[in-house]
Amino acid sequence: MISVIIPTYARPTNLVRAITSVINQTYNDIEIIVVDDNGLGTAQQKETESLLDGFIKNNIITYIAHDTNKNGSVARNTGFQASRGGYVAFLDDDDEFLPAKLQCQLEVLESLDNSWGGCYCDTNVIDANGKNVIYPCRKSGDLTVEMLLEKAFFNTSTLLLRREVIEELHGFDETYQRHQDWEFLIRFFRKYKLKLVDAGNPLLYRYTTDSTAFSKRINGRNVIKLKKKFLGEFHEDICRYNEANEIFVKHWLFAARHL
């Protein structure tokens, strides 16, 4: 079984699309777990539950609502703890699996030994204006450098992971409200490799918001605090690579632009 965990917060509009993309997979042995992080009793939680009423009543999904807003890391961990699959996929509530995604990934992962803790796929990114850009990634193995320099475009929605790997890593660090995917994957790459599933076409649609509007919402002090925490915690990991200085410069420049 593959467990698909969908955390959701503050944007129920596209959630049905995300769930439907899992239902329409060519692989059928799937459970879908939706973790509502809006906070029990809030207007958005009630709207989300109402939108999902048919899925819930027909046992198509397992719906879990947090009592309060906790963050995406906690939501993913909550979903994982409730899951039963030997393989686990995560799907952001505004992203969309293409029909063959899970089958293609499972076939590749089952052909590999356990040093390969998971696999990922190419992504078709659709921006706020509806423009499509395919971000192909051509590398397998340790992608720490490519990830931190943003030369390989993948996020948690692209992944299929072995259950035991997530258990070993104790899931996502719940103290991170941003960079939780990078934090998890750096720990992943300490021991495991990630395999590119080259299906010839992207297997995921990722929808992005207006980057200008997003930048205006970023609090500069919070970014500095985040970068200190993230770069400090993984300083030794980053320094193992020849590109370490480039990584540090890139991240501190990002922080400086938002002061």
Side-chain angles (χ1 to χ4, degrees):
M1 178 187 287
I2 298 176
S3 298
V4 179
I5 297 164
I6 307 176
T8 186
Y9 173 71
R11 50 187 186 191
T13 306
N14 297 319
L15 181 56
V16 170
R17 180 184 65 195
I19 293 171
T20 302
S21 78
V22 182
I23 295 171
N24 290 336
Q25 289 295 293
T26 57
Y27 186 77
N28 295 319
D29 192 5
I30 297 171
E31 66 171 358
I32 305 171
I33 300 172
V34 176
V35 182
D36 187 334
D37 194 39
N38 287 297
L40 197 61
T42 62
Q44 288 177 323
Q45 184 270 320
K46 291 178 180 178
E47 180 184 1
T48 299
E49 187 172 12
S50 177
L51 282 171
L52 303 185
D53 184 64
F55 295 123
I56 298 169
K57 286 183 177 178
N58 291 303
N59 296 315
I60 295 171
I61 68 170
T62 298
Y63 173 77
I64 303 170
H66 280 164
D67 54 351
T68 61
N69 170 245
K70 298 182 178 181
N71 76 40
S73 297
V74 181
R76 290 185 179 96
N77 287 343
T78 295
F80 178 70
Q81 290 159 10
S83 70
R84 298 173 291 123
Y87 298 90
V88 178
F90 298 95
L91 177 59
D92 288 351
D93 59 5
D94 59 343
D95 291 343
E96 182 180 1
F97 287 168
L98 272 73
K101 178 185 186 289
L102 295 180
Q103 182 170 346
C104 289
Q105 290 188 298
L106 182 62
E107 289 174 355
V108 169
L109 198 50
E110 286 192 325
S111 71
L112 301 171
D113 64 51
N114 288 339
S115 68
W116 297 89
C119 59
Y120 75 110
C121 63
D122 286 342
T123 302
N124 189 345
V125 176
I126 303 173
D127 67 17
N129 298 316
K131 180 181 178 181
N132 295 1
V133 180
I134 296 175
Y135 286 84
C137 302
R138 299 272 67 89
K139 182 179 177 182
S140 297
D142 180 356
L143 278 73
T144 301
V145 170
E146 289 77 9
M147 176 180 70
L148 294 182
L149 290 178
E150 297 183 292
K151 293 181 177 179
F153 195 91
F154 61 95
N155 67 344
T156 50
S157 294
T158 69
L159 303 174
L160 181 68
L161 301 170
R162 300 185 194 274
R163 180 179 194 86
E164 59 268 23
V165 171
I166 303 174
E167 290 174 340
E168 179 185 348
L169 297 177
H170 304 291
F172 292 80
D173 186 333
E174 297 181 359
T175 66
Y176 280 85
Q177 295 196 24
R178 288 175 57 88
H179 292 356
Q180 57 261 55
D181 49 350
W182 288 354
E183 182 281 328
F184 174 85
L185 284 165
I186 288 178
R187 292 187 289 118
F188 172 95
F189 287 127
R190 288 173 179 172
K191 181 175 179 180
Y192 295 102
K193 297 177 289 186
L194 194 66
K195 180 69 173 178
L196 168 66
V197 175
D198 189 358
N201 293 293
L203 296 174
L204 175 76
Y205 284 148
R206 183 176 182 185
Y207 297 85
T208 61
T209 56
D210 183 343
S211 59
T212 302
F214 176 75
S215 295
K216 290 179 179 178
R217 297 198 301 268
I218 296 177
N219 183 300
R221 291 182 179 179
N222 288 343
V223 172
I224 293 292
K225 183 178 179 181
L226 169 66
K227 292 300 183 181
K228 284 183 177 179
K229 174 181 172 64
F230 178 73
L231 297 174
E233 184 171 335
F234 295 106
H235 185 271
E236 291 186 9
D237 293 271
I238 295 170
C239 286
R240 292 192 293 115
Y241 301 98
N242 295 329
E243 298 87 350
N245 286 341
E246 185 180 356
I247 291 171
F248 288 121
V249 167
K250 178 180 178 63
H251 285 260
W252 282 122
L253 282 176
F254 175 88
R257 286 196 298 269
H258 292 91
L259 285 177

